[in-house]
Amino acid sequence: MLVVMVIILIGILVLHQSPHKPSASTTNTTIKPSQSTTSTIPAPQEDYLQVSTGPTWVHLDTTQSLTLDTSSLAGQNGIAVSLELFSKIQSRSEFQVIMKYGLKSLPIASSPPVDLNRLSHDAAGKPLLNFELSETAPSRPLLNQPVPTSFIQIPYCSPNCSGVYPLLAVFVQGSQIIGTALTDIALEPSSQVSSPLNFAFVVQAPFTGNSVNDLNSLSLLVSAVSANPSANITLNIPGMVLQEAEASHSSTVKSTLDQLLSWSQKPGHQIINSGFVPVNLPQLRSSGLNTSISEELVAGRNQTEQFLHQHLTSLGPLAVHGGLTFQNADTLASLGASDIMLSDKYFVPFSEKFSLSQPFALATSVGKNLTVLADDSGLKADISSRSQPYRDANQLSTDLAQIYFDQPNDTSPRVVGTLFQVSNSQDAQVLTQILTDVSSSPFIKTVSLNKAFALTSADQLSYGKLATPAPYLAFDPTRFNSLTNDIAALTSSLGQNSDLTGAQYNLLASLSSTLSPKNSNRFLNLSQAVVNNVSSKVSLASNKAFTVTARSVHLPIAITSQFKVPFKGILVITSDRLSFPNGNTIPVTLNGPNTTISIPIYAETLGLYLITAKLFTTNGQFAVANTSIEIRSTAFSAVSIVLTLGAFLVLGLWWIQSFRRGHRRNRRLVREKN
């Protein structure tokens, strides 16, 4: 008899444990009907069940509702669902273990199964499961009502019931468990929370190099945050994306910008940028492009100022992308940045029992510290799947709640943060659910980055250290540097030019660490096309042959310009046999379409000569036009005339002398003959 009872207990234990291994990042588990039930339960169309919506914050003795996604089932006949509540999570580390490996314990309370066919449904046809948690037995038969309510009587826990609890929906047919779906709930305390956890949520607009996609992502982001104005968050929008939006003629994009500007003017809302495009600071430095860091940050700030119609007094706060080295920290501090958000994988972990929930100071060699707020990798992992909006938001919100419950009575200001990028409609759904959850939480207070850094005074900050970075792959900056020099040269001649400014922006965009090599080269090609087009608007007259009859003459050189503004340059002429009395370098200013420059030249002798003419930019670094001119000189110099006359005189004297000698010889021959 004892053996039989032991076998029964083991069977019950296995029955309870088998469904308690849900995926770490989703609300679902694989449905695996046993061989004996395969004939009665049709094969599911998908491989999971899930909770698609539900409450994150729960009060005792209050009816709540879970929306169940049972679309993986071919039918609901004979299938029931019950709820199992597990022990309150005691620490954030335990929370992260459960998210990664699933539940390993037994439930502390459960509800009786209720047939799916008895549940009401939402507009999409999904079952709605009402449930209620209480320390006492129900005062009325909840399952016998027209719309049944699953009742869970938890063990007596007052006054310490508040905390995060895993809640598992168990789907059964008969005695066979066919699937489970996990969610987490946070029981709210009966009294008001006096010191909630501050949450600095930074939402990133992507830069992909595809203007249409980037502007569509921006529109989705703005719509989501505008629908949740009570959430105080920070938007990190690359300057290039703002520039593309402002240059667009689309009425939809213009409406998005109006909506974004209106959102930014409300208290607690903040727009920042971390550069013209997202860049990898260590990679730029290792590639010899440290000066480009300043150009990226300043260009991004200028674009944000233009959009907001306000002057930003400093760089930052910055959400640093792609890591940070000691040299990068010095660069940022020297540029005037003071507050940065940095992933916690780039600095040495603090030896603390609880999660880091305060900014820290980072010393630099330029005599100014940076204040660093961690981009919490655990929070980022909570929302990394992007496949189930409710579950992602649920994991993030309950993770934040657990950070709060780790130190519920700590009155010092605590703040954690993370960054989330919205690239598509599914990301926007996740964002909407997150904002809905965190803005309604009694444990969490959303704050902007400015507010997050202002919570703790500088003299109260602990000092942190950057982790030794892994080697960063440098790229060849040859073409980038060449185009940078060409654009700078043309700018020295034209001043501010919209085409050249656009080419400079394309150069900055090419450095984005979010671009593929192909897209990066595309931006370099756009800059090269501008350089070619601008330089082609100035030309020197084509090859001509000039004949000069004097030794010192003025040679006319015709220059044409298509610019509507003056073009300043330097004309350089060279020849191996001609000389230039006023020098061979002539500053020129082209004020109209046609300009003729008269250049004094001096030909020593007659003959055929070749002159090469090149028009350089003002800084002398870039030749915008060149030509060659053939000179035929027929002029005689004084020396040549004297030599020629002397030659004729000598020849004449020789002829006269020869004539006289011949005449004498003839006379002598005549005398001898006679």
Short mmCIF file of all heavy atoms in Angstrom, two decimals, residues 274-328:
data_model
loop_
_atom_site.label_atom_id
_atom_site.label_comp_id
_atom_site.label_asym_id
_atom_site.label_seq_id
_atom_site.Cartn_x
_atom_site.Cartn_y
_atom_site.Cartn_z
N SER A 274 22.91 61.55 -30.62
CA SER A 274 24.26 61.12 -30.24
C SER A 274 25.20 61.20 -31.43
O SER A 274 26.12 60.40 -31.57
CB SER A 274 24.21 59.70 -29.67
OG SER A 274 23.37 59.66 -28.53
N GLY A 275 24.94 62.19 -32.27
CA GLY A 275 25.75 62.39 -33.46
C GLY A 275 24.87 62.53 -34.68
O GLY A 275 23.66 62.31 -34.64
N PHE A 276 25.48 62.91 -35.78
CA PHE A 276 24.73 63.03 -37.02
C PHE A 276 24.19 61.67 -37.43
O PHE A 276 23.07 61.55 -37.93
CB PHE A 276 25.64 63.61 -38.10
CG PHE A 276 24.91 64.01 -39.34
CD1 PHE A 276 24.00 65.05 -39.33
CD2 PHE A 276 25.12 63.33 -40.53
CE1 PHE A 276 23.31 65.42 -40.48
CE2 PHE A 276 24.45 63.69 -41.68
CZ PHE A 276 23.54 64.74 -41.66
N VAL A 277 24.99 60.63 -37.23
CA VAL A 277 24.57 59.24 -37.38
C VAL A 277 25.21 58.44 -36.25
O VAL A 277 26.17 58.91 -35.63
CB VAL A 277 25.00 58.64 -38.75
CG1 VAL A 277 24.26 59.32 -39.90
CG2 VAL A 277 26.50 58.76 -38.95
N PRO A 278 24.71 57.25 -35.95
CA PRO A 278 25.37 56.43 -34.92
C PRO A 278 26.76 56.01 -35.40
O PRO A 278 26.91 55.49 -36.50
CB PRO A 278 24.45 55.21 -34.78
CG PRO A 278 23.14 55.63 -35.37
CD PRO A 278 23.47 56.61 -36.45
N VAL A 279 27.77 56.26 -34.58
CA VAL A 279 29.14 55.91 -34.95
C VAL A 279 29.79 55.11 -33.83
O VAL A 279 29.41 55.21 -32.67
CB VAL A 279 29.99 57.16 -35.26
CG1 VAL A 279 29.50 57.85 -36.51
CG2 VAL A 279 30.00 58.13 -34.08
N ASN A 280 30.77 54.32 -34.21
CA ASN A 280 31.56 53.55 -33.26
C ASN A 280 32.80 54.37 -32.94
O ASN A 280 33.72 54.48 -33.75
CB ASN A 280 31.94 52.20 -33.89
CG ASN A 280 32.64 51.28 -32.91
OD1 ASN A 280 33.59 51.68 -32.24
ND2 ASN A 280 32.18 50.05 -32.83
N LEU A 281 32.82 54.99 -31.76
CA LEU A 281 33.91 55.91 -31.41
C LEU A 281 35.27 55.23 -31.42
O LEU A 281 36.23 55.79 -31.97
CB LEU A 281 33.62 56.55 -30.05
CG LEU A 281 32.32 57.35 -29.94
CD1 LEU A 281 32.21 57.98 -28.55
CD2 LEU A 281 32.23 58.42 -31.01
N PRO A 282 35.43 54.04 -30.82
CA PRO A 282 36.75 53.40 -30.87
C PRO A 282 37.20 53.10 -32.30
O PRO A 282 38.39 53.20 -32.62
CB PRO A 282 36.55 52.12 -30.06
CG PRO A 282 35.40 52.41 -29.15
CD PRO A 282 34.50 53.29 -29.96
N GLN A 283 36.27 52.72 -33.15
CA GLN A 283 36.63 52.40 -34.53
C GLN A 283 37.12 53.65 -35.27
O GLN A 283 38.09 53.59 -36.03
CB GLN A 283 35.44 51.79 -35.27
CG GLN A 283 35.77 51.30 -36.68
CD GLN A 283 34.57 50.76 -37.40
OE1 GLN A 283 33.53 51.40 -37.45
NE2 GLN A 283 34.70 49.56 -37.95
N LEU A 284 36.45 54.77 -35.06
CA LEU A 284 36.89 56.01 -35.72
C LEU A 284 38.29 56.39 -35.28
O LEU A 284 39.13 56.78 -36.09
CB LEU A 284 35.91 57.15 -35.41
CG LEU A 284 34.52 57.07 -36.05
CD1 LEU A 284 33.73 58.33 -35.75
CD2 LEU A 284 34.62 56.86 -37.55
N ARG A 285 38.54 56.27 -33.98
CA ARG A 285 39.87 56.64 -33.49
C ARG A 285 40.94 55.71 -34.04
O ARG A 285 42.00 56.15 -34.48
CB ARG A 285 39.89 56.64 -31.96
CG ARG A 285 41.25 57.04 -31.41
CD ARG A 285 41.28 57.15 -29.90
NE ARG A 285 42.61 57.50 -29.44
CZ ARG A 285 43.09 58.73 -29.41
NH1 ARG A 285 42.33 59.73 -29.80
NH2 ARG A 285 44.32 58.96 -29.00
N SER A 286 40.67 54.41 -34.04
CA SER A 286 41.66 53.46 -34.53
C SER A 286 41.89 53.59 -36.02
O SER A 286 42.91 53.13 -36.54
CB SER A 286 41.23 52.02 -34.19
OG SER A 286 40.02 51.69 -34.84
N SER A 287 40.95 54.23 -36.73
CA SER A 287 41.10 54.44 -38.17
C SER A 287 41.72 55.80 -38.49
O SER A 287 41.77 56.19 -39.66
CB SER A 287 39.74 54.32 -38.86
OG SER A 287 39.15 53.06 -38.62
N GLY A 288 42.15 56.53 -37.46
CA GLY A 288 42.77 57.83 -37.68
C GLY A 288 41.78 58.94 -37.95
O GLY A 288 42.14 59.96 -38.54
N LEU A 289 40.53 58.77 -37.52
CA LEU A 289 39.49 59.76 -37.80
C LEU A 289 38.94 60.36 -36.52
O LEU A 289 37.74 60.59 -36.38
CB LEU A 289 38.35 59.10 -38.60
CG LEU A 289 38.73 58.56 -39.98
CD1 LEU A 289 37.55 57.82 -40.61
CD2 LEU A 289 39.19 59.69 -40.89
N ASN A 290 39.83 60.65 -35.58
CA ASN A 290 39.38 61.19 -34.29
C ASN A 290 38.71 62.54 -34.46
O ASN A 290 37.77 62.88 -33.73
CB ASN A 290 40.56 61.30 -33.33
CG ASN A 290 40.12 61.37 -31.88
OD1 ASN A 290 39.31 60.55 -31.44
ND2 ASN A 290 40.63 62.34 -31.14
N THR A 291 39.19 63.36 -35.42
CA THR A 291 38.57 64.67 -35.63
C THR A 291 37.14 64.54 -36.14
O THR A 291 36.32 65.44 -35.95
CB THR A 291 39.38 65.50 -36.63
OG1 THR A 291 39.52 64.76 -37.85
CG2 THR A 291 40.77 65.80 -36.08
N SER A 292 36.83 63.41 -36.78
CA SER A 292 35.46 63.21 -37.28
C SER A 292 34.47 63.02 -36.15
O SER A 292 33.27 63.24 -36.35
CB SER A 292 35.42 62.00 -38.22
OG SER A 292 36.21 62.22 -39.37
N ILE A 293 34.94 62.61 -34.97
CA ILE A 293 34.04 62.46 -33.82
C ILE A 293 33.41 63.81 -33.49
O ILE A 293 32.19 63.92 -33.30
CB ILE A 293 34.80 61.89 -32.61
CG1 ILE A 293 35.27 60.47 -32.90
CG2 ILE A 293 33.92 61.93 -31.36
CD1 ILE A 293 36.12 59.86 -31.80
N SER A 294 34.24 64.84 -33.44
CA SER A 294 33.73 66.19 -33.17
C SER A 294 32.75 66.63 -34.26
O SER A 294 31.68 67.19 -33.97
CB SER A 294 34.89 67.17 -33.08
OG SER A 294 34.42 68.50 -33.01
N GLU A 295 33.09 66.37 -35.51
CA GLU A 295 32.22 66.78 -36.62
C GLU A 295 30.87 66.07 -36.55
O GLU A 295 29.83 66.68 -36.81
CB GLU A 295 32.91 66.48 -37.95
CG GLU A 295 34.17 67.31 -38.18
CD GLU A 295 34.95 66.85 -39.40
OE1 GLU A 295 34.55 65.84 -40.01
OE2 GLU A 295 35.96 67.50 -39.73
N GLU A 296 30.89 64.79 -36.20
CA GLU A 296 29.64 64.03 -36.08
C GLU A 296 28.75 64.61 -34.97
O GLU A 296 27.55 64.83 -35.15
CB GLU A 296 29.93 62.56 -35.78
CG GLU A 296 30.54 61.78 -36.93
CD GLU A 296 29.51 61.37 -37.97
OE1 GLU A 296 28.31 61.60 -37.76
OE2 GLU A 296 29.93 60.80 -38.99
N LEU A 297 29.34 64.86 -33.81
CA LEU A 297 28.57 65.33 -32.66
C LEU A 297 28.03 66.74 -32.90
O LEU A 297 26.87 67.04 -32.60
CB LEU A 297 29.42 65.30 -31.40
CG LEU A 297 29.86 63.90 -30.93
CD1 LEU A 297 30.76 64.01 -29.71
CD2 LEU A 297 28.66 63.02 -30.62
N VAL A 298 28.86 67.61 -33.45
CA VAL A 298 28.44 69.00 -33.68
C VAL A 298 27.35 69.05 -34.76
O VAL A 298 26.36 69.78 -34.62
CB VAL A 298 29.64 69.87 -34.07
CG1 VAL A 298 29.18 71.25 -34.52
CG2 VAL A 298 30.60 70.00 -32.89
N ALA A 299 27.52 68.28 -35.83
CA ALA A 299 26.51 68.27 -36.89
C ALA A 299 25.18 67.75 -36.36
O ALA A 299 24.11 68.27 -36.71
CB ALA A 299 26.99 67.42 -38.06
N GLY A 300 25.22 66.73 -35.51
CA GLY A 300 23.99 66.21 -34.93
C GLY A 300 23.31 67.23 -34.03
O GLY A 300 22.09 67.42 -34.08
N ARG A 301 24.12 67.90 -33.20
CA ARG A 301 23.54 68.91 -32.30
C ARG A 301 22.93 70.06 -33.11
O ARG A 301 21.83 70.54 -32.79
CB ARG A 301 24.62 69.46 -31.37
CG ARG A 301 24.09 70.52 -30.39
CD ARG A 301 25.20 71.18 -29.61
NE ARG A 301 26.10 71.92 -30.49
CZ ARG A 301 27.19 72.55 -30.06
NH1 ARG A 301 27.52 72.51 -28.78
NH2 ARG A 301 27.96 73.21 -30.91
N ASN A 302 23.62 70.51 -34.15
CA ASN A 302 23.10 71.61 -34.96
C ASN A 302 21.77 71.25 -35.60
O ASN A 302 20.86 72.08 -35.68
CB ASN A 302 24.12 71.99 -36.04
CG ASN A 302 25.37 72.62 -35.46
OD1 ASN A 302 25.39 73.03 -34.30
ND2 ASN A 302 26.42 72.68 -36.26
N GLN A 303 21.64 70.01 -36.05
CA GLN A 303 20.39 69.59 -36.68
C GLN A 303 19.26 69.56 -35.66
O GLN A 303 18.12 69.95 -35.96
CB GLN A 303 20.57 68.21 -37.31
CG GLN A 303 19.51 67.86 -38.33
CD GLN A 303 19.53 68.77 -39.54
OE1 GLN A 303 20.57 69.00 -40.15
NE2 GLN A 303 18.37 69.31 -39.90
N THR A 304 19.56 69.11 -34.44
CA THR A 304 18.54 69.09 -33.39
C THR A 304 18.13 70.50 -32.99
O THR A 304 16.95 70.79 -32.78
CB THR A 304 19.06 68.32 -32.16
OG1 THR A 304 19.44 67.00 -32.56
CG2 THR A 304 17.99 68.22 -31.09
N GLU A 305 19.12 71.40 -32.90
CA GLU A 305 18.81 72.81 -32.60
C GLU A 305 17.89 73.40 -33.65
O GLU A 305 16.94 74.12 -33.33
CB GLU A 305 20.11 73.62 -32.53
CG GLU A 305 20.93 73.40 -31.29
CD GLU A 305 22.18 74.27 -31.27
OE1 GLU A 305 22.63 74.67 -32.37
OE2 GLU A 305 22.70 74.54 -30.19
N GLN A 306 18.18 73.11 -34.90
CA GLN A 306 17.37 73.64 -35.99
C GLN A 306 15.94 73.14 -35.90
O GLN A 306 14.98 73.90 -36.12
CB GLN A 306 17.98 73.24 -37.33
CG GLN A 306 17.21 73.72 -38.55
CD GLN A 306 17.90 73.33 -39.85
OE1 GLN A 306 19.12 73.38 -39.96
NE2 GLN A 306 17.11 72.91 -40.83
N PHE A 307 15.77 71.88 -35.54
CA PHE A 307 14.42 71.33 -35.45
C PHE A 307 13.66 71.89 -34.25
O PHE A 307 12.49 72.25 -34.35
CB PHE A 307 14.48 69.80 -35.37
CG PHE A 307 13.15 69.17 -35.06
CD1 PHE A 307 12.14 69.15 -36.01
CD2 PHE A 307 12.89 68.61 -33.82
CE1 PHE A 307 10.90 68.60 -35.73
CE2 PHE A 307 11.67 68.05 -33.52
CZ PHE A 307 10.67 68.04 -34.49
N LEU A 308 14.33 71.96 -33.10
CA LEU A 308 13.67 72.40 -31.87
C LEU A 308 13.54 73.92 -31.78
O LEU A 308 12.84 74.43 -30.90
CB LEU A 308 14.44 71.89 -30.65
CG LEU A 308 14.48 70.37 -30.45
CD1 LEU A 308 15.36 70.02 -29.26
CD2 LEU A 308 13.07 69.81 -30.26
N HIS A 309 14.25 74.65 -32.65
CA HIS A 309 14.26 76.11 -32.63
C HIS A 309 14.76 76.63 -31.28
O HIS A 309 14.20 77.58 -30.71
CB HIS A 309 12.86 76.67 -32.91
CG HIS A 309 12.23 76.15 -34.15
ND1 HIS A 309 12.74 76.40 -35.42
CD2 HIS A 309 11.14 75.36 -34.34
CE1 HIS A 309 11.98 75.80 -36.32
NE2 HIS A 309 11.01 75.16 -35.71
N GLN A 310 15.80 75.99 -30.78
CA GLN A 310 16.39 76.44 -29.52
C GLN A 310 17.87 76.11 -29.51
O GLN A 310 18.33 75.20 -30.19
CB GLN A 310 15.70 75.79 -28.32
CG GLN A 310 15.76 74.28 -28.29
CD GLN A 310 15.06 73.69 -27.09
OE1 GLN A 310 15.69 73.36 -26.09
NE2 GLN A 310 13.74 73.57 -27.17
N HIS A 311 18.61 76.89 -28.72
CA HIS A 311 20.06 76.70 -28.63
C HIS A 311 20.38 75.68 -27.54
O HIS A 311 19.89 75.79 -26.41
CB HIS A 311 20.74 78.03 -28.33
CG HIS A 311 22.22 77.91 -28.12
ND1 HIS A 311 23.08 77.51 -29.14
CD2 HIS A 311 22.99 78.12 -27.02
CE1 HIS A 311 24.32 77.48 -28.67
NE2 HIS A 311 24.29 77.84 -27.40
N LEU A 312 21.18 74.69 -27.89
CA LEU A 312 21.62 73.69 -26.91
C LEU A 312 23.01 74.08 -26.44
O LEU A 312 23.94 74.23 -27.23
CB LEU A 312 21.65 72.30 -27.55
CG LEU A 312 20.31 71.82 -28.14
CD1 LEU A 312 20.47 70.45 -28.79
CD2 LEU A 312 19.23 71.77 -27.07
N THR A 313 23.15 74.26 -25.15
CA THR A 313 24.38 74.83 -24.61
C THR A 313 25.54 73.85 -24.56
O THR A 313 26.69 74.24 -24.42
CB THR A 313 24.14 75.37 -23.18
OG1 THR A 313 23.63 74.30 -22.37
CG2 THR A 313 23.12 76.50 -23.22
N SER A 314 25.26 72.55 -24.66
CA SER A 314 26.34 71.58 -24.55
C SER A 314 26.02 70.36 -25.39
O SER A 314 24.91 70.19 -25.89
CB SER A 314 26.54 71.16 -23.09
OG SER A 314 25.38 70.51 -22.60
N LEU A 315 27.03 69.51 -25.55
CA LEU A 315 26.83 68.23 -26.21
C LEU A 315 26.28 67.25 -25.19
O LEU A 315 26.89 66.98 -24.17
CB LEU A 315 28.15 67.70 -26.77
CG LEU A 315 28.74 68.43 -27.97
CD1 LEU A 315 30.12 67.87 -28.28
CD2 LEU A 315 27.84 68.30 -29.18
N GLY A 316 25.14 66.72 -25.48
CA GLY A 316 24.64 65.70 -24.57
C GLY A 316 23.35 66.09 -23.90
O GLY A 316 22.85 67.19 -24.10
N PRO A 317 22.84 65.13 -23.11
CA PRO A 317 23.46 63.82 -22.85
C PRO A 317 23.54 62.96 -24.11
O PRO A 317 22.75 63.13 -25.03
CB PRO A 317 22.54 63.20 -21.80
CG PRO A 317 21.23 63.90 -21.96
CD PRO A 317 21.54 65.28 -22.42
N LEU A 318 24.52 62.06 -24.12
CA LEU A 318 24.78 61.23 -25.28
C LEU A 318 24.51 59.77 -24.95
O LEU A 318 24.90 59.29 -23.88
CB LEU A 318 26.23 61.36 -25.74
CG LEU A 318 26.75 62.77 -26.07
CD1 LEU A 318 28.24 62.72 -26.35
CD2 LEU A 318 26.00 63.34 -27.26
N ALA A 319 23.87 59.06 -25.87
CA ALA A 319 23.75 57.61 -25.77
C ALA A 319 24.85 57.02 -26.64
O ALA A 319 24.75 57.02 -27.87
CB ALA A 319 22.37 57.15 -26.23
N VAL A 320 25.93 56.58 -26.00
CA VAL A 320 27.12 56.15 -26.73
C VAL A 320 26.86 54.81 -27.39
O VAL A 320 26.41 53.85 -26.75
CB VAL A 320 28.33 56.06 -25.79
CG1 VAL A 320 29.55 55.50 -26.53
CG2 VAL A 320 28.65 57.44 -25.23
N HIS A 321 27.16 54.75 -28.68
CA HIS A 321 26.92 53.55 -29.48
C HIS A 321 28.25 52.86 -29.76
O HIS A 321 29.21 53.49 -30.20
CB HIS A 321 26.24 53.93 -30.79
CG HIS A 321 26.06 52.80 -31.75
ND1 HIS A 321 25.00 51.94 -31.68
CD2 HIS A 321 26.82 52.37 -32.79
CE1 HIS A 321 25.09 51.04 -32.64
NE2 HIS A 321 26.19 51.29 -33.33
N GLY A 322 28.34 51.56 -29.48
CA GLY A 322 29.49 50.79 -29.92
C GLY A 322 30.71 50.82 -29.03
O GLY A 322 31.80 50.50 -29.47
N GLY A 323 30.57 51.23 -27.77
CA GLY A 323 31.70 51.13 -26.86
C GLY A 323 32.43 52.44 -26.64
O GLY A 323 32.16 53.46 -27.30
N LEU A 324 33.39 52.40 -25.71
CA LEU A 324 34.12 53.60 -25.32
C LEU A 324 35.50 53.19 -24.83
O LEU A 324 35.64 52.23 -24.07
CB LEU A 324 33.36 54.34 -24.21
CG LEU A 324 33.79 55.77 -23.90
CD1 LEU A 324 33.35 56.71 -25.02
CD2 LEU A 324 33.21 56.23 -22.57
N THR A 325 36.51 53.93 -25.27
CA THR A 325 37.87 53.72 -24.77
C THR A 325 38.26 54.92 -23.91
O THR A 325 37.56 55.94 -23.87
CB THR A 325 38.87 53.58 -25.92
OG1 THR A 325 38.92 54.82 -26.66
CG2 THR A 325 38.47 52.45 -26.86
N PHE A 326 39.40 54.80 -23.22
CA PHE A 326 39.87 55.91 -22.39
C PHE A 326 40.10 57.15 -23.25
O PHE A 326 39.79 58.27 -22.84
CB PHE A 326 41.17 55.50 -21.68
CG PHE A 326 41.02 54.27 -20.82
CD1 PHE A 326 41.49 53.04 -21.25
CD2 PHE A 326 40.39 54.34 -19.59
CE1 PHE A 326 41.35 51.91 -20.47
CE2 PHE A 326 40.25 53.21 -18.80
CZ PHE A 326 40.72 51.99 -19.24
N GLN A 327 40.66 56.95 -24.45
CA GLN A 327 40.92 58.08 -25.34
C GLN A 327 39.61 58.72 -25.80
O GLN A 327 39.51 59.95 -25.92
CB GLN A 327 41.74 57.63 -26.55
CG GLN A 327 43.14 57.15 -26.21
CD GLN A 327 43.18 55.69 -25.76
OE1 GLN A 327 42.15 55.03 -25.69
NE2 GLN A 327 44.37 55.21 -25.44
N ASN A 328 38.59 57.88 -26.07
CA ASN A 328 37.28 58.43 -26.45
C ASN A 328 36.69 59.27 -25.33
O ASN A 328 36.09 60.32 -25.58
CB ASN A 328 36.31 57.30 -26.79
CG ASN A 328 36.69 56.51 -28.02
OD1 ASN A 328 36.44 55.31 -28.09
ND2 ASN A 328 37.30 57.16 -29.00
#
